[in-house]
Amino acid sequence: MRRPLVYGFLSFLLSLIISRYLYFPLWFFLFLIPISAVLGVVLRYFKVPWIWAVLLLIFSLGLGYGEWREVQAHTYPWLPDEIYTVKGSVLGFPHESEDSLSFDFKVTAIGGVGENLKISVIADKDVKVAYGDVLQLQGTALFSNENVNPGGFDFNLYQKEKGISATFSTKYGGDILFTGEKDASLLLSTASWLRGKFFASLGYLPESQRDFISGVFLGDTQGMTQGDLDMLSKSGIRHCFSVSGLHVGYLILFLDMFFNLLHLKKKTRVVALVPLLMIYCALTGFHPGVVRSWLMCFMVYLAMGWGKAGDGFSALAAAGFILLLWNPQNLWLVSFQLSFIAMVSIIYFTHYFSGIFKKEFLGKDILIVTISAQIGLLPVIAYYFHTVSIISFFINSIACFLVGAVVVLAMGGLVLSVFSGFLGAAPLVLGGFIGEFIYWATYRLINLPFAYYYPQSFPLWALFLAYGLFFIIPHLQFLKHRKVLALSSLLMVLVFAVFPWQVLTKQDFEITFLDVGEGDCIFIATPTGENILVDAGSGKSDAIGVNRIRPFLLNRGVNHLDYIFVSHCDRDHVGSIPSIIEYFGAEKIVFSQAEYYFSKDLEALVQSQGTEVVKVESGDSLKIGGVDFDVMYPEEKVVGESNTLSMILKVKYQNFSALLTGDANEEAIATMNAQGLDLSADILKIPHHGSKTGYNEEFYQNVNPQAVVISVGKNSFGHPDQTILDYWRSRNIPIYRTEFQGAITVKAQGKNCDITTYLEK
């Protein structure tokens, strides 16, 4: 059997997948392992290749190992809202954000009791800590890490990738005590010293150029704006700012080109490459993704460079074995899957694209590697991130060539910075100008028609079908020609990525109450395909908009919003609207005529994006895609504070209706009761996150809903009020709360409605 290591790895991979979803008792493995050994003897007797018995044995051992690792669950000694004192040392390198400092921390004791944990610490920005500092921390563990909306950012999985057990905050009522001790390895201490020299040289550059080079060379994107990060995602070149996978591959490629100039022999190259890559890994803080990518790329380089053609798959299988034996959870990390698929695609397609680009030219290898990787990555990126960059096929090779040049210049700057900060800045200045050009060109390219596309939820079966065809295509006789094979693979990937999969499913009327913490955001999909938001709240920063609202919209295949209704301009209702409009665009935005406060920033953004502003008052009605939006309150003449002016909408489709109340207070509710309006609805969104100011039994009886929804998060206001909960429980009306159940989705046909929650609570 050719490449037995590859088949062994696939057998191990299959066993880990099965052990993830199926439970097997211990006796099953004790029975299966000797059976595999006996089968091996039998197969040898009948002269059947022994590899089949070995594969069965690997599968059996993999099942047992995967099952054992799945049930390993460390119980962390944290309780919510409790103050803890922990001791340990700073791991890696601290990162500054707009208002805080974050760093990884190795815990050696909790309250004087020995422990062995790795946590992420959030501290005040003015705290100065360094790698290896031994500290005593006082603070609380944070537990708001659950993925609460479809398509949302899975922070738990991200923490697991880094080996983090909890997030610990010292910002509010906490404290940091410096012991004066150090706990640091020689390699990372050296890397910390080198980083200090490097950043001293970067200090000579403008801030935007510093952030660009830091992102490209070290993968540190903390200083980059969200707009820049969005631009990189839409253009398909954000991987250049994530030091893993292709990034390490580019570094190896450039080092190999340098070794060619020196005419180094193969074994000498390997010896020289190992320490250089180790230093680079140390500079990035030995992030798991960097180490993983280094191992994959290096083993493939080792196999291919040793002259064993076609052995790259075996080398990659060996790397996969090591990584999954070390931690089987790696298999479920998106970063691992992307790195692995990229390497497989590079090995698989490079051979064919070399047949297209026969003539030698500058950057040929980078072009071939980039296109090959893009073919394999595009379907899985569409599946996970719901963004397909069409222009990436045209700009990626150029961008990667330029980014590779920046990596080389940064390496030169790093070396020179050891002798002089000013001297080290010389090559970095050129790298900064390259960064400015990349930004300038990319911002213009993503504004071209069809530059990028947001496919609706890419089905899992389509993903498997795409990669299945990858395997089949090389065996089709009429595609034996390399050019035809390579181009047909590229065309197939594009078709799969941009195909409107939503046409295969029936579009229903749907209302989804998103979990945005202590705020409101409601998504409405009409049967004819219009996409509508009612509010989009966020806190002090736009983390909610970026990590909860936007991923949900992308998951739904939303590439443009038709309407945004704004109940009122409190931040917990409009905080994310600017970034949402900037990212997706919106045809119209609807405000209350009575709203006395209108954000100047929001107004300027709305005008710059060409969004039409619509003002409404009670009695007005908009019909969108067969759905009626009746404005129940307020009249234009109403004055008062923001909650008094909160718009109340009655959304009607066929015989179903929902009453969306924003932050309506007692004055608004009393006004509607007095006017004798038809407030009856099947679903009631409880006013103001369940505040007692919205409690009105007459109002509740007028609505008479089948179910009520409370959009609420962890808060210090006492929301929802116990009186409100007791009232609905006494009437046996179901209560749905986003803080416990995540996104709450209502699908309606006729008078019937089906309510589902994202979290089973």
Side-chain angles (χ1 to χ4, degrees):
M1 179 183 289
R2 190 183 177 191
R3 298 193 182 109
L5 192 58
V6 172
Y7 287 96
F9 174 68
L10 292 176
S11 178
F12 183 59
L13 203 65
L14 180 62
S15 68
L16 293 182
I17 294 172
I18 292 175
S19 66
R20 171 91 169 190
Y21 297 103
L22 297 176
Y23 170 75
F24 297 94
L26 179 61
W27 64 262
F28 179 80
F29 305 113
L30 296 176
F31 172 76
L32 195 58
I33 291 173
I35 287 294
S36 303
V38 172
L39 182 61
V41 174
V42 173
L43 290 176
R44 289 303 296 159
Y45 178 78
F46 290 102
K47 297 183 179 180
V48 176
W50 57 268
I51 188 64
W52 294 106
V54 173
L55 293 180
L56 180 59
L57 182 61
I58 292 173
F59 179 80
S60 305
L61 293 172
L63 274 180
Y65 181 65
E67 194 75 47
W68 176 70
R69 290 298 295 261
E70 281 291 328
V71 300
Q72 297 296 303
H74 188 88
T75 303
Y76 304 114
W78 312 113
L79 292 174
D81 303 321
E82 292 287 333
I83 303 294
Y84 291 95
T85 300
V86 303
K87 185 177 180 181
S89 58
V90 177
L91 293 172
F93 310 110
H95 298 281
E96 285 189 10
S97 62
E98 186 177 346
D99 60 352
S100 62
L101 181 79
S102 62
F103 55 90
D104 292 343
F105 191 75
K106 179 177 69 176
V107 176
T108 56
I110 300 178
V113 179
E115 189 56 86
N116 182 22
L117 299 174
K118 182 180 176 183
I119 63 175
S120 178
V121 177
I122 300 175
D124 289 322
K125 188 176 181 179
D126 57 358
V127 175
K128 302 300 180 184
V129 301
Y131 164 70
D133 285 346
V134 177
L135 310 172
Q136 181 173 293
L137 310 178
Q138 187 179 64
T140 56
L142 306 180
F143 290 89
S144 57
N145 299 334
E146 196 163 26
N147 183 18
V148 293
N149 298 312
F153 176 62
D154 195 331
F155 193 74
N156 277 332
L157 199 60
Y158 172 73
Q159 294 266 55
K160 188 178 292 185
E161 177 184 13
K162 296 180 65 178
I164 301 292
S165 64
T167 300
F168 194 83
S169 174
T170 65
K171 288 191 68 173
Y172 308 105
D175 190 25
I176 297 180
L177 175 65
F178 289 81
T179 65
E181 302 173 45
K182 278 283 187 179
D183 179 16
S185 69
L186 177 61
L187 180 59
L188 276 175
S189 294
T190 303
S192 181
W193 177 76
L194 285 173
R195 279 174 66 101
K197 293 288 186 180
F198 182 69
F199 279 110
S201 294
L202 277 180
Y204 288 93
L205 276 64
E207 184 177 1
S208 62
Q209 296 184 9
R210 291 200 304 267
D211 294 337
F212 172 83
I213 293 177
S214 180
V216 166
F217 189 56
L218 301 174
D220 184 1
T221 58
Q222 295 280 344
M224 299 178 68
T225 67
Q226 189 59 51
D228 287 341
L229 293 174
D230 292 342
M231 174 268 294
L232 296 173
S233 297
K234 291 175 180 179
S235 64
I237 64 172
R238 186 165 178 174
H239 61 87
C240 293
F241 296 79
S242 177
V243 187
S244 59
L246 291 177
H247 202 94
V248 178
Y250 295 141
L251 183 61
I252 292 177
L253 185 62
F254 277 110
L255 288 173
D256 195 47
M257 292 169 62
F258 178 69
F259 294 155
N260 276 334
L261 293 176
L262 298 178
H263 303 290
L264 295 182
K265 296 181 179 180
K266 292 177 181 178
K267 292 183 179 180
T268 307
R269 293 183 188 190
V270 173
V271 172
L273 194 63
V274 172
L276 290 174
L277 289 178
M278 285 296 289
I279 292 172
Y280 185 61
C281 287
L283 284 169
T284 63
F286 281 110
H287 187 282
V290 180
V291 177
R292 178 175 60 243
S293 301
W294 170 80
L295 181 61
M296 287 183 185
C297 293
F298 177 71
M299 293 198 73
V300 172
Y301 172 84
L302 184 64
M304 304 293 277
W306 223 260
K308 298 180 180 180
D311 213 22
F313 287 114
S314 295
L316 192 58
F321 257 128
I322 295 170
L323 292 166
L324 294 181
L325 281 170
W326 177 260
N327 183 8
Q329 292 294 336
N330 276 327
L331 179 59
W332 310 105
L333 301 178
V334 176
S335 56
F336 174 85
Q337 296 172 19
L338 291 175
S339 298
F340 209 83
I341 290 172
M343 292 304 302
V344 170
S345 191
I346 289 170
I347 299 170
Y348 191 76
F349 285 107
T350 297
H351 175 68
Y352 301 111
F353 279 102
S354 296
I356 296 178
F357 304 103
K358 292 183 178 180
K359 292 184 178 180
E360 293 296 326
F361 56 87
L362 182 64
K364 173 184 173 181
D365 290 338
I366 297 175
L367 176 64
I368 292 174
V369 165
T370 302
I371 295 177
S372 299
Q374 286 288 297
I375 290 178
L377 286 174
L378 211 145
V380 75
I381 288 175
Y383 177 76
Y384 280 120
F385 303 110
H386 316 290
T387 303
V388 174
S389 177
I390 307 300
I391 61 170
S392 66
F393 282 96
F394 305 100
I395 70 172
N396 235 308
S397 56
I398 298 174
C400 289
F401 179 78
L402 294 175
V403 165
V406 173
V407 170
V408 172
L409 290 169
M411 269 291 194
L414 175 67
V415 173
L416 294 175
S417 68
V418 173
F419 305 99
S420 165
F422 180 77
L423 194 62
L428 297 179
V429 169
L430 180 56
F433 282 124
I434 293 175
E436 294 283 2
F437 172 75
I438 290 175
Y439 278 171
W440 176 84
T442 307
Y443 266 117
R444 280 152 181 78
L445 287 169
I446 63 172
N447 289 318
L448 294 174
F450 309 109
Y452 56 90
Y453 173 73
Y454 300 142
Q456 193 176 23
S457 193
F458 196 76
L460 186 61
W461 64 263
L463 187 67
F464 284 123
L465 181 59
Y467 289 118
L469 288 176
F470 280 168
F471 178 77
I472 294 173
I473 282 177
H475 301 284
L476 300 178
Q477 292 299 319
F478 63 93
L479 291 180
K480 284 297 184 182
H481 194 280
R482 289 183 180 180
K483 292 183 180 181
V484 177
L485 175 61
L487 294 176
S488 62
S489 299
L490 178 60
L491 179 63
M492 183 199 71
V493 168
L494 286 172
V495 169
F496 264 85
V498 304
F499 183 80
W501 299 99
Q502 60 267 35
V503 301
L504 302 179
T505 58
K506 182 182 177 182
Q507 179 78 25
D508 294 321
F509 170 71
E510 177 184 312
I511 301 178
T512 300
F513 300 85
L514 296 177
D515 182 354
V516 292
E518 183 73 358
D520 272 20
C521 183
I522 304 167
F523 173 76
I524 300 174
T526 72
T528 53
E530 285 81 7
N531 299 304
I532 301 157
L533 274 187
V534 180
D535 290 341
S538 190
K540 293 181 180 179
S541 68
D542 192 32
I544 291 291
V546 173
N547 295 327
R548 294 196 183 185
I549 301 174
R550 183 196 296 178
F552 170 82
L553 294 175
L554 291 173
N555 186 57
R556 289 298 307 262
V558 173
N559 51 31
H560 188 76
L561 290 165
D562 296 281
Y563 280 82
I564 297 178
F565 286 83
V566 177
S567 65
H568 63 302
C569 284
D570 285 357
R571 184 166 180 83
D572 62 334
H573 289 254
V574 302
S576 291
I577 285 179
S579 67
I580 292 296
I581 291 180
E582 189 174 12
Y583 196 84
F584 293 98
E587 195 70 27
K588 297 180 181 180
I589 187 167
V590 183
F591 289 91
S592 162
Q593 287 275 13
E595 176 65 72
Y596 77 99
Y597 170 76
F598 188 87
S599 166
K600 292 182 180 179
D601 292 338
L602 182 57
E603 182 179 15
L605 178 60
V606 166
Q607 292 174 344
S608 69
Q609 297 294 325
T611 301
E612 179 184 347
V613 175
V614 179
K615 295 289 186 73
V616 296
E617 64 172 324
S618 60
D620 291 341
S621 181
L622 299 175
K623 196 173 188 69
I624 308 170
V627 180
D628 294 312
F629 291 79
D630 297 338
V631 182
M632 312 301 290
Y633 179 89
E635 294 180 347
E636 182 180 2
K637 62 184 180 181
V638 175
V639 295
E641 52 92 22
S642 61
N643 288 350
T644 303
L645 304 177
S646 185
M647 184 194 304
I648 299 176
L649 285 172
K650 187 173 183 179
V651 182
K652 298 186 298 185
Y653 173 66
Q654 295 180 349
N655 296 322
F656 169 84
S657 61
L659 193 65
L660 311 180
T661 57
D663 275 359
N665 58 15
E666 58 264 64
E667 183 178 340
I669 292 171
T671 299
M672 288 191 297
N673 285 337
Q675 291 174 340
L677 300 174
D678 178 15
L679 300 174
S680 61
D682 300 291
I683 301 294
L684 169 64
K685 204 282 292 187
I686 296 294
H688 199 183
H689 323 294
S691 167
K692 62 182 179 182
T693 61
Y695 181 76
N696 187 304
E697 291 191 15
E698 180 185 356
F699 170 66
Y700 293 161
Q701 290 165 4
N702 288 336
V703 180
N704 193 29
Q706 297 180 29
V708 299
V709 175
I710 305 177
S711 184
V712 64
K714 185 178 181 181
N715 64 89
S716 58
F717 307 110
H719 299 162
D721 188 73
Q722 190 61 43
T723 308
I724 294 174
L725 299 176
D726 291 341
Y727 173 84
W728 293 110
R729 287 168 182 161
S730 69
R731 290 186 54 182
N732 293 319
I733 300 296
I735 303 171
Y736 294 90
R737 297 167 59 172
T738 56
E739 64 176 325
F740 295 146
Q741 295 161 305
I744 298 161
T745 300
V746 182
K747 292 185 178 181
Q749 288 185 335
K751 189 68 176 176
N752 299 320
C753 64
D754 179 41
I755 303 176
T756 57
T757 62
Y758 188 64
L759 303 179
E760 296 297 328
K761 294 183 180 180

